[in-house]
Amino acid sequence: MEGSTIIFYLLALLTVVSGILAVTATNILRAAISLLFALIGIAGIYFWLDYQFIAAVQIVVYVGGIVVLIIFSIFLTQSAGEKMPSQKLGRTVFSALAAFCGFALVLIQLFQHNFPISKDLTLTPKVADIGTQMLGVKEEGYALPFELVSMLLLAALIGCIVIAMRSKPQTT
Amino acid sequence: MNLLLLLGIPLLTAVLVLMSRNQQQVKWVSFAGASVQLILSLALYYYFQKASASGATGMLFQQTYSWFPTWGINFHVGVDGIALAMILLTAFVVLAGVLVSWNVEKMTKEFYFLLILLSFGAYGFFISLDLFILFFFLEIAVIPKYLLIGIWGSGKKEYSANKLALMLMGGSALVLVGLLGVYFSGEERTFDLIKLSQLHLSPLTQKICFPLLFIGFGVFTALFPFHTWVPDGHSSAPTAGSMFLAGISMKLGGYGCLRVATFMMPDAAHQYAPYIIVLSSIAILYGAFATMMQKDLKYINAYSSISHCGFVLLGIGMLTKTALTGAVMQMVSHGLMTALFFAVIGMVYQRTHTRQVNEMGGLMKSMPFITTILFIVGLCSLGLPGLSGFVAEMTVFMGAWQNPGMFYRIATIAACMSIVVTAVYILRAIGKTAMGPIKEEFKNLPDASWNEKLAAGVLLAGILAIGLAPFWLNDLITPGTEIIINKLTGK
Amino acid sequence: MTTDLLILMKQELVVTFIIFILLFIKIGKGIKNETLLPLIQLLLLTNFVIGFFFNKEGILFGGMYNTTALMVFQKNILSLATYLISLLCVGWLKKSDHLAEFFLLMLSALLGMFFMISAGNLLMFYLSLELATIPIAAIANFDLEKRRSSEAAMKMILSSAFSSGILLFGISLLYGATGTIDFVALPALLNGSPLQLFAFIFLFAAFAFKLSIVPFHLYTADVYEGAPIAVTSFLSVVSKGAIAFIFITALYKVFRPMEEVWYNMLVILSVATMLVGNLFALRQQQFKRFLAFSSIAQVGFILVGISSGAPEGLSAVVYFVLIYVFSNLAAFGVAELISNQTGKETIDDYKGMYATNPFLSWVLAIALFSLAGIPPTAGFFGKLFLITAGASKASYWFIIIAALNMMISLFYYLKVVRAVFMDKSEQPIEKINIPASAKLALLLCGAGIVLLGILSWVYDYIVSLVK
Amino acid sequence: MMQPGLYHILIISAALFFIGVFGFFTRRNLITMLMSIELILNSVNLNFIAFNKYVWPHKMDGLFFSLFVIAIAAAEAAVAIAIIINLYRSHQSIDVEDAGEMKY
Amino acid sequence: MMNPVYIALIPLLPLAGFLMLGLFGRKFFKETSGIIATLLLLTAFGLSVYVAYDYFTHANGGVYPKTIAFQYTWLRFTDTLSIDMGALIDPISVMMLLVVTFVSLMVHIYSLAYVKGEERFATYYAYLMLFTFSMLGLVLSSNLFQIYIFWELVGLSSFLLIGFYYNKPSAVAACKKAFIVTRFADLGFLIGILILSFYSGTLDFATLINTLTTPESAAMKNAVTASFLGVSAISWGMALVFIGGAGKSAMFPLHIWLPDAMEGPTPVSALIHAATMVVAGVFLVARLFPVFALTTPAVLEIVGWVGAFSAIFAAMIACTQTDIKRVLAYSTMSQIGFMLFALGVSKYGGENGLGFTASMFHLFTHAMFKALLFLGAGAVIHYVHSNEMKDMGGLRKLLPITHITFLIACLAIAGVPPFAGFFSKEEILLAAFNGNKTIYYVALLTSGLTAFYMFRLYFNIFWSKEPATQHDKHHGEGGFAMMMPLVLLAIGAAAAGFIPFGNFVSSDGAKLESHFHLAFSAAPVLIGLSGILLAFVMYKKQSNKATNLANSLGGIYKTVYHKFYIDELYLFITKKILFNLIGRPAAWFDKNVVDGLVNATGNATTMISAKIKGMQSGRVQQYAAYFFAGVFGLVLIFLYIWK
């Protein structure tokens, strides 16, 4: 077994196990940390695939941004450290079953399909290309979506400010 | 003559009613509008006769305006004798309805507006030659009824209004599906009644669409077992509402059954005729027997309407020329008669504050005019010669008997039997209200006022005009039914 | 390129422009609501008017953005609806502490919808869909001190995030199976393989979620009920309209090779949608919630029209949405006025309203009749054309069910009419003071409801756009 | 064991997806539900990247898609957290069961 | 040929009177309406006389022609079937014109005094005019449907007149009963018309009779071969038409309305329920006689039997009744039975048509003496203010003119020569003797009963006991207006028998010699006289002979007294069966089943709506679960099941 293969399996294990922990841990902070590891694991897989740029973004945005946000919000809502109320067993079992069936179904579909796997697996995107394409306006240019996302971020920002910074005192 | 005038006048009246400043103005505007419309209808009759005399046949005064060209919808109007008869009926009933509502105090403007709107729908329906606008006008007439009953009605009005609106909408839903079936079956996408009637619709289409259309329209005209909106609706409605309901609205269904279902789909008409006849015979007898047990005057008339409208459907189901003519005559006759009946009931109720026959008695003493009208209308209902009911029923019977075959014969005889049952309940009702000893509290009740007299006179004129001299109506209708029957027999 | 850009994207640019104006206003000293609101209304009117000029068809950004006359018209319908909302909800808006932000977010969503309509590939579609959703989730919470408002926002954002996940999963599979996200290239690559179908169903479900199709509709009522009425009306009219447009475009243009599948899906789902929407609407007391379910049922009818798969279906849907804008906004407008001034929101509260508020009652009645599809209101034509379009495939049972559902829906619309006109109440709603702009909007809606059907050239115009 | 390839990654991503779904269904804490959503989005991203890498490497559609998804996820999370915080203020709880006032 | 205008005027004058008095009577002619009506009718009577004179003096080769004076189409059904309004002039219609106008005139005059002071004086005359108009229209009918129309109108006016005292519950009940029972019979008539019109292809009497009596015509073959329940269509048709006639003519079992009809004013009873309307059935059979006799003799035989049975049945009841008008009513029924069985035993043409002539003759004479009886009874009632025999007695001195005229009438009806009834009854008996022996014996017995009950009546009114003192002495006999008709009718009743009736009326229009045999007459006259004698013995003086007899008969008497419980039977049928077994279930069915289904649909919808509300649980996770299930449901359907 090659080294990269081992690395891959380790990453996969990390991702899946922390993912499972993230949705099952009873301590919310622990769940958040597990999520962090799962995201890092995914970033690792990106690296493993030679998609460094996206891996970097993943780490910056997710690990550095979203998870931090989540942890902050955990503190803000004062629920850190408490044990979370557990779900009814019936629903848990049902959900697990549903998820598993869905998982199986998806896998069946994926494996039934014959993906035309490319011969040329060495092609990796270069950061410079990504940059030009991101701001390009012609064919294969992603300037418009980029602008769109910026509008969205603006809107989200304003929305967050208004909602979270509620000035009026609590009435109910 | 421009048929759009028939739509324009009610529309104008409605607008003027909305703009009126006080109750008095509302009433007079409506009265004027209805009168003008009646004159217009009579003028239409005159021009129609003139045109017929000069050899014109089929649909006269046709006008076509493109409306939704994508769908092939045209605003296509025209009249033949059948439609004209219905228009005349509507004009009479509307005028009378406006007159008997003279002392509606509550939301007068809205009341008259809805009345006029309802009549607008009816006129539009009768002159439509395009199935889409026919359907359009059919549905226009539903909501005014709902509101009239719900707002100005009495008794369990909300229940009745709901039931009526829902059942009628259900009926029109079936009509819609039937119409669409017809629409898509032809090579050409058209709603035009005349064009469609010239196509030979495929047997399958006919087989599916005919019952849809017939039952759909049948709901409007109290086809058994879809009649249950009739008693509740009529009894809860205000006087003019009941008049319009029974006098005009139920005729929309009969007219639709004849003009749309039967005319367009002759093969299916033959195929389904036995079912129609069974249902209508049941309606006739069953309605009559059910009437016998009613104690409320309005219920009596409502159930008897079921019975009488059964004759319309029976006539249509018999598929002979005379029977079809009879069906149309019965529509006109029943429209006038039942409107008058409801008007009289309204007048009685207004004075005695009861509609229970057992609580009245001897009213002839204090209100001779009203009871005389009650008598006449009752006699018309039980088919006395000289009044319109007789003419219409006899024409139906005569036409029904033209259809040989034991089944049809037995159905006809069954239908004939209703004349006895009708006599029983009508005489019972009249005997208990108008005759017998009078109660103390009813002794000094006033007789009809001018508007009521005029209203009764208008309708009575119609009833007598048909009853005493039926030939003009017969001559008016027959060319129309001839066309239908030619189509049915494949000539 | 630049002039092309200016002309082809004029509507998007105008909206962006307004957004930035609002942003500067917000950042700057801030203007009183009384002055700001007319300004916004004016800007929105401009936005609407501009839609009628300089129309040109074309493609930008290498196919990511395209526009046609029909798309311009669709966007205009949305602009109009937004303008009407800004007129109708003045009462609530004036009281708002965050007027500028509110419009900023709402217009962002509108911008998202514009882009969604013009989207040329799945990425653009996804992004604009999110742009059209996330800000709305935020403004759903703008009744900041109301519990229900935040609950609604929460349900909206979580549900739509979940649906985004499903959508994205579908898109990723589709991408894997075809290698493209471009709308133009996709149809040729669709061969109906199971995986493609699988992916398509995921996509379809996401559409269904946004359009509130049963069983993906469950968030709708709660969100409608909890959100401020301005947001609810925006959601139910603008958002639904936009999704309907893109949905029908996607099905007709992109997924045409799968027509057999989606036709059957539409039949099943539209029956379910009409039935469930109607059955739930029957039992509602809260007016907004009632309208939510009724709008679900309306969506069922839209599906009937879409199922035709023919240009008639497209034109009928556009026409219906146009009518729906007027009808629904009129109903919401009345509800807003009442709720804002009296705090009453249930149908029982409307009892005996006619005595005190005849104008509002009539507007409400006409709007409800239009929604129920009663002539001569335009709703009749809208619904009839939808059904006619759907009937072209001649499935009698389907059409009968649709037609009978019209009857059920009539029942509950009449329930409201009955409360307003017939029932008596000890404490009817007092006389509502109708602001001028709201009155204008209600009149516009009323006129639209009455005239859109009778004036057939509107429909002809849509048909000419569809071609 | 085989050389890891497309299907391995697809399995991971599918697993993550349904782990997310499971979490979404069972977690009662709103923030943890949000975390489940993040898992779902990440699984999608993984899909995109994998397909881009193994099946359609000549264009970077998948890459860009996942880039934008990350951005959207951030925005979505931000708004969601803002809403959750607001909800917390009014309900004093971030249990999803406590926010079920509107029903039927 | 005479001017059709005259003929048209005969019915139109009363019609004009009806319209005038009906519309404006209460306001403008409150006092004068009686005079106006009488004058109008006098004119009509004059015209009738003129027409009759003109007609019977213009025989064409010994045969009176059937002519149509005028006719115009009223309602056209098909090319051949149409309702035409016209006047058919033949011997029987002319004879009926005379009878109707004459009796009606008498009643009009009589009523001037009798109904005076009544609040609805004008209305009363309007009704009378309406009746006269309808009756004249009926007898003149040239079209089968026309006769039906006037038939109904006659029924209506009868209804109105019986219910004239509308505030009396018994009158209301009686008028309803009369109308409904005859309506029931009319149903048969109507169906009969439908059958006949279909097979003959026409409604016109002349053509119809012609077609249906020509055995070789195609229509005829159809009508004979088409059968239902083993009876040919034509027989059904004629039998059903006869049911209509039997209803109007109060034949068993449709007679129950007639005695109750006596609730109306007495002159009305004289006009409608004795002289004219009730013979409409006889007239109808006579009108269609060729068809009956030539095509459906079996039906004619039924007619005969119904007539004979009704005659004796009614006579028996008449013997027990105490209300004088009811006695007269049953006597009417009995006499009409005579007329009908006379027709029943008759054949068509020549000598064989004796029964026909006899029937018409009896109709004619009966009109005279029965009207007289009723008017006389009216005078008595007017005087004592009661209908019951027990309130009367010994009135012969107080009401001399009434007494004499009444006696003449009694003698006439009892068949005592030389009064009118004797001649007509003789002819009937002779015809019966020739035609059907059983019927003849029944008839003979009935004549005896007739004589008995008539004189029972006579003695009870005018002899029996001394008048009670409470009678209003100075009330008198009612003056000239009431007496004149009595006298005129008495003359008629006494002398009408000498008219050579056979010269004018016969089954085929040809003259028929009278058949008077002294030997044959002996039996009936003797029987009649013995009946009178029995009555004399029992009722001349107040005694308890009658009561004793009644007691000794016991149950039989009771049964007869209660009119064989036919009324109760009807009551049972209508109340228990029609109302309880059909009407009530129908109403119940409508309310609970049909309507119930509609409501159940509504309720079910609401219920389902309540049942599925759990779907909308308010929990966002459950929403997502539904979403998820929806997606995978679609996947399963479209990926696995659908394929």
Side-chain angles (χ1 to χ4, degrees), chain B residues 123-137:
Chain B
Y123 287 119
F125 182 84
F126 290 130
I127 62 173
S128 301
L129 288 182
D130 185 278
L131 293 177
F132 183 87
I133 60 167
L134 182 119
F135 183 71
F136 173 75
F137 284 117

Side-chain angles (χ1 to χ4, degrees), chain A residues 8 10 13 28 38 44 46 59 71 79 90 93 95 99 102 119 121 127-128 130 137 142 151 153 155 165 169:
Chain A
F8 175 82
L10 283 176
L13 196 70
I28 188 163
Y46 293 155
I59 292 191
I71 291 172
S79 53
V93 171
S95 307
K119 306 281 176 302
L121 292 179
V127 179
I130 295 173
V137 292
Y142 283 83
M151 287 305 294
L153 289 173
M165 309 289 156

Side-chain angles (χ1 to χ4, degrees), chain E residues 2 22 87 133 145 168 173 176 236 249 288 325 356 419 454-455 463 488 509 515 521 564 582-583 594 611:
Chain E
M2 72 198 83
F133 159 70
F145 227 111
K168 243 169 70 183
K176 273 157 59 181
W236 274 110
S249 287
L288 288 171
K325 284 182 77 180
F356 181 87
F419 296 100
M454 282 320 296
F455 277 87
W463 299 82
L488 285 177
H515 299 262
S521 306
F564 295 91
I582 303 179
V594 183
K611 278 262 152 60

Side-chain angles (χ1 to χ4, degrees), chain C residues 214-267:
Chain C
V214 174
F216 313 105
H217 68 289
L218 289 149
Y219 75 103
T220 318
D222 296 355
V223 173
Y224 280 24
E225 186 184 344
I229 293 187
V231 179
T232 308
S233 43
F234 187 80
L235 257 178
S236 89
V237 173
V238 185
S239 187
K240 287 282 177 300
I243 297 283
F245 293 147
I246 181 69
F247 187 43
I248 192 166
T249 317
L251 290 182
Y252 283 18
K253 295 245 171 73
V254 184
F255 294 102
R256 181 61 93 178
M258 293 181 173
E259 182 170 354
E260 200 191 333
V261 175
W262 56 249
Y263 171 72
N264 289 320
M265 265 190 223
L266 286 176
V267 170

Side-chain angles (χ1 to χ4, degrees), chain D residues 19-93:
Chain D
I19 290 167
V21 168
F22 171 78
F24 193 79
F25 287 174
T26 51
R27 287 300 203 163
R28 287 178 56 177
N29 189 305
L30 286 170
I31 293 176
T32 47
M33 282 173 74
L34 192 67
M35 286 155 61
S36 310
I37 297 271
E38 299 303 337
L39 280 179
I40 292 175
L41 293 179
N42 269 288
S43 98
V44 171
N45 281 347
L46 206 50
N47 260 352
F48 273 117
I49 298 295
F51 284 130
N52 199 345
K53 163 101 183 170
Y54 287 102
V55 192
W56 315 103
H58 300 285
K59 275 164 65 180
M60 291 191 281
D61 290 340
L63 173 72
F64 276 103
F65 218 116
S66 49
L67 266 180
F68 285 114
V69 169
I70 291 172
I72 298 282
E76 203 162 30
V79 172
I81 283 172
I83 289 171
I84 290 169
I85 288 172
N86 197 40
L87 187 81
Y88 173 73
R89 286 203 203 132
S90 51
H91 287 69
Q92 304 304 327
S93 151

Side-chain angles (χ1 to χ4, degrees), chain B residues 441-461:
Chain B
E441 64 261 38
F442 296 151
K443 264 190 183 149
N444 294 315
L445 295 175
D447 206 359
S449 56
W450 70 269
N451 58 306
E452 290 169 334
K453 280 186 178 163
L454 192 54
V458 165
L459 291 172
L460 204 55

Side-chain angles (χ1 to χ4, degrees), chain E residues 475-487:
Chain E
H475 198 77
E477 284 197 83
F480 178 73
M482 272 169 79
M483 287 310 111
M484 190 189 79
L486 289 184
V487 174

Side-chain angles (χ1 to χ4, degrees), chain B residues 43-56 60-61 84:
Chain B
L44 181 64
Y45 176 67
Y46 170 75
Y47 285 114
F48 185 85
Q49 290 297 41
K50 218 163 100 176
S52 301
S54 60
L60 302 186
F61 312 120
L84 184 51

